[in-house]
């Protein structure tokens, strides 16, 4: 099909492994990169962070840190133990000595955080210095999109601030084109990508169910709700998120810069397929559909906003289930509309273990939307924010998340910082 190579490029760009919540990992990655240019351990670090970075780092545990939380810990651990070459798995090789050095540095008060007033939700600048040198590194728009590096006042690297890492064009994505790609792509071209997604995201789901993470929401859902496939979909997806938010050092395959979106867009589809004995090839096609529909929705909203990404990812997962069981294009569209008629108002108040509960609630709502759609029942166009076509509804919700909720986002950050 036309643009098949671009679809595959998008999937390869977005479905990458990350260890831990992606915002603290982005800080650790940038700190590790700056440390390499400093050529010695920093004696002082200043982290200037946008509101959304502050919101998404302050409450989440950092992997391989023995329970450290917060911006200062993420930056310092990246500087003392991170390996920038590992990308979003930058903290994989952190040693016990690195943790001790980080704790000593943090105890000295040498790392400070400042609010960065910026219209770009994902935006931060780190300044690392020792007795002789200082290095500054700026990241905008996406988690590893370094836009400027300076050392001792000299610019070593700079690129257009509007650029986002040379990503493949996403403007051609539509519901119809995504379905056509999922229907026709040769399985061998996507098999390894989705085998890895299944392995990584289900491994952390099993860890979340069996381990001691957060409130144990996955086990609670599985044991307290009526048994059934939807219960297990919610339980395993929530458990994976809770482990990740709790600092588990197992990587997940992310989507649109988010591990929780990667989990919510894949785990429910995998669990449903296994429960219903769906052929593996059909599962791969459904995962491709879900991943691309999540990316398409998030392209309208942006990487970070006041709109909870679990809604977009769960909507995509359950639309993919409609697709996987042979639902018509109309039924897929109705699944999307039914979901977005219900839960577009869930706010993002930062990364934390309660994200797992939001994922469970979103999957529940999206599966209700799926079941209604399979009975050819859906809400009428122009009911609330619903438009005549699902594509228009996606655009409408994207506008609300990106533009309409800007002030909401600022107020969320203000309230979170008001102790």
């Amino acid at each position: 099909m036309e643009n098949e190579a671009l679809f595959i490029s998008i999937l390869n760009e977005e479905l990458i492994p990350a260890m831990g919540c992606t915002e603290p990992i982005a800080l650790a990655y940038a700190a590790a990169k700056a440390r390499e240019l400093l050529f010695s351990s920093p004696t002082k670090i200043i982290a200037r962070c946008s509101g959304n970075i502050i919101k998404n780092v302050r409450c989440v545990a950092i992997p391989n840190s023995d329970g450290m939380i917060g911006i200062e810990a993420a930056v310092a651990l990246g500087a003392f133990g991170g390996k920038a070459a590992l990308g979003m798995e930058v903290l994989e090789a952190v040693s016990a000595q690195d943790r001790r050095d980080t704790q000593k540095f943090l105890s000295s008060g040498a790392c400070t955080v400042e609010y960065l007033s910026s219209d770009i939700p994902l935006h931060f600048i780190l300044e690392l210095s020792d007795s002789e040198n200082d290095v500054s590194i700026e990241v905008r728009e996406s988690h590893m999109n370094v836009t400027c590096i300076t050392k001792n006042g000299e610019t070593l690297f700079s690129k257009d601030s509007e650029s986002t890492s040379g990503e493949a064009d996403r403007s051609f994505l539509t519901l119809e084109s995504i379905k056509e790609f999922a229907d026709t792509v040769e399985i061998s071209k996507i098999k390894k990508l989705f085998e890895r997604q299944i392995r990584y995201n289900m491994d952390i789901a099993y860890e979340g169910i069996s381990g001691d993470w957060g409130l144990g929401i996955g086990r609670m859902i599985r044991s307290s709700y009526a048994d059934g496939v939807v219960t297990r979909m919610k339980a395993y997806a929530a458990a994976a998120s809770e482990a990740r938010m709790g600092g588990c050092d197992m990587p997940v395959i992310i989507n649109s810069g988010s591990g929780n979106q990667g989990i919510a867009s894949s785990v429910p589809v995998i669990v449903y397929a296994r429960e219903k004995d769906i052929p593996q090839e059909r599962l791969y096609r459904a995962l491709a559909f879900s991943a691309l529909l999540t990316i398409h929705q998030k392209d309208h909203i942006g990487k970070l906003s006041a709109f909870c990404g679990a809604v977009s990812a769960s909507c995509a997962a359950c639309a993919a289930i409609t697709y996987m069981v042979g639902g018509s294009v109309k039924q897929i569209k109705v699944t999307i509309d039914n979901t977005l008629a219900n839960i577009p108002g869930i706010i993002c108040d930062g990364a934390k273990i309660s994200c797992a509960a939001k994922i469970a609630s979103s999957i529940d709502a999206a599966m209700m939307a799926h079941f209604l759609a399979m009975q050819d029942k859906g809400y009428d166009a122009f009911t609330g924010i619903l438009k005549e076509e699902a594509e228009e509804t996606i655009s409408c919700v994207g506008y609300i998340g990106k533009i309409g909720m800007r002030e909401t986002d600022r107020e969320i950050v203000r309230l979170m910082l008001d102790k």
Side-chain angles (χ1 to χ4, degrees):
M1 66 168 289
E2 185 180 0
N3 292 326
E4 181 183 276
L6 276 174
F7 277 103
I8 293 171
S9 292
I10 291 169
L11 289 171
N12 284 323
E13 287 172 4
E14 295 285 10
L15 303 186
I16 62 172
M19 191 176 74
C21 179
T22 50
E23 278 71 57
I25 292 302
L27 290 169
Y29 166 77
K33 201 169 184 67
R35 163 67 176 77
E36 291 172 357
L37 294 168
L38 196 62
F39 300 131
S40 67
S41 297
T43 56
K44 181 180 179 182
I45 299 177
I46 300 173
R48 296 185 171 90
C49 302
S50 65
N52 268 271
I53 292 294
I54 293 171
K55 182 177 76 172
N56 281 304
V57 181
R58 69 188 298 267
C59 298
V60 69
I62 300 160
N64 241 347
S65 71
D66 283 346
M68 297 184 204
I69 293 174
I71 292 172
E72 295 93 333
V75 172
L77 194 63
F80 284 92
K83 301 291 184 290
L86 298 176
M88 295 298 282
E89 296 177 278
V90 59
L91 299 180
E92 183 182 42
V94 168
S95 67
Q97 184 60 51
D98 295 330
R99 286 189 286 271
R100 287 192 290 271
D101 291 342
T102 297
Q103 290 284 17
K104 182 178 179 181
F105 180 79
L106 294 174
S107 297
S108 73
C111 184
T112 57
V113 178
E114 297 178 2
Y115 177 75
L116 176 64
S117 180
S118 174
D119 291 331
I120 302 169
L122 200 166
H123 190 187
F124 62 88
I125 302 169
L126 304 183
E127 296 177 6
L128 281 66
S129 57
D130 60 16
S131 58
E132 297 181 358
N133 301 293
D134 61 84
V135 174
S136 172
I137 187 165
E138 181 175 18
V139 173
R140 292 172 172 239
E141 304 286 2
S142 61
H143 295 79
M144 294 192 295
N145 185 40
V146 176
T147 57
C148 186
I149 301 174
T150 65
K151 182 172 183 179
N152 299 331
E154 179 186 353
T155 300
L156 303 182
F157 172 80
S158 179
K159 71 175 180 178
D160 184 353
S161 63
E162 298 299 315
S163 173
T164 55
S165 314
E167 291 178 341
D169 177 33
R170 283 130 169 83
S171 62
F172 65 91
L173 291 177
T174 64
L175 183 58
E176 285 78 8
S177 68
I178 289 168
K179 182 179 183 300
E180 183 184 0
F181 171 80
D183 282 341
T184 61
V185 65
E186 187 179 320
I187 288 297
S188 63
K189 295 180 180 179
I190 61 171
K191 182 179 179 182
K192 287 185 178 179
L193 185 66
F194 289 109
E195 282 180 338
R196 183 179 67 171
Q197 184 185 56
I198 291 167
R199 185 172 68 255
Y200 280 34
N201 292 4
M202 290 308 297
D203 280 353
I204 198 169
Y206 296 137
E207 170 61 26
I209 283 283
S210 61
D212 185 20
W213 299 103
L215 304 183
I217 190 172
R219 288 194 301 278
M220 183 278 296
I221 292 171
R222 193 175 60 175
S223 63
S224 303
Y225 285 63
D227 190 36
V229 64
V230 176
T231 295
R232 288 186 284 279
M233 290 162 63
K234 291 159 53 180
Y236 281 97
S241 171
E242 197 164 40
R244 178 175 169 270
M245 295 288 95
C248 179
D249 61 6
M250 298 173 70
V252 303
I253 301 301
I254 67 175
N255 185 305
S256 301
S258 164
N260 280 337
Q261 287 163 193
I263 288 165
S265 63
S266 63
V267 170
V269 184
I270 298 162
V271 172
Y272 187 95
R274 289 177 173 178
E275 293 277 335
K276 300 296 184 180
D277 292 322
I278 302 291
Q280 198 75 354
E281 177 177 323
R282 192 67 184 163
L283 171 58
Y284 293 146
R285 295 190 186 280
L287 288 171
F289 183 95
S290 181
L292 288 163
L293 183 55
T294 302
I295 293 163
H296 181 39
Q297 292 178 83
K298 288 296 294 181
D299 197 44
H300 286 281
I301 298 168
K303 296 284 192 220
L304 300 177
S305 78
F307 187 95
C308 178
V311 173
S312 304
S314 299
C315 176
C318 296
I321 288 170
T322 303
Y323 165 81
M324 186 164 62
V325 299
S328 66
V329 172
K330 181 179 179 182
Q331 288 170 322
I332 293 168
K333 290 179 177 179
V334 172
T335 302
I336 295 167
D337 278 341
N338 286 349
T339 304
L340 298 179
N342 183 2
I343 52 167
I346 298 179
I347 63 167
C348 173
D349 55 342
K352 58 209 174 305
I353 60 169
S354 64
C355 291
K358 294 184 182 185
I359 288 175
S361 296
S362 296
I363 293 167
D364 191 76
M367 279 305 287
M368 179 170 65
H370 158 76
F371 290 131
L372 286 168
M374 295 307 291
Q375 297 175 26
D376 296 317
K377 295 179 180 179
Y379 297 105
D380 293 335
F382 310 112
T383 300
I385 62 171
L386 295 187
K387 298 299 181 183
E388 197 163 12
E389 284 290 330
E391 196 68 54
E392 294 177 282
T393 301
I394 289 170
S395 178
C396 177
V397 170
Y399 180 85
I400 291 169
K402 187 172 187 175
I403 306 300
M405 297 180 77
R406 279 180 179 170
E407 188 59 33
T408 301
D409 211 23
R410 285 191 282 268
E411 289 301 315
I412 289 169
V413 174
R414 184 184 66 79
L415 289 167
M416 287 177 69
L417 296 178
D418 185 17
K419 294 184 178 179

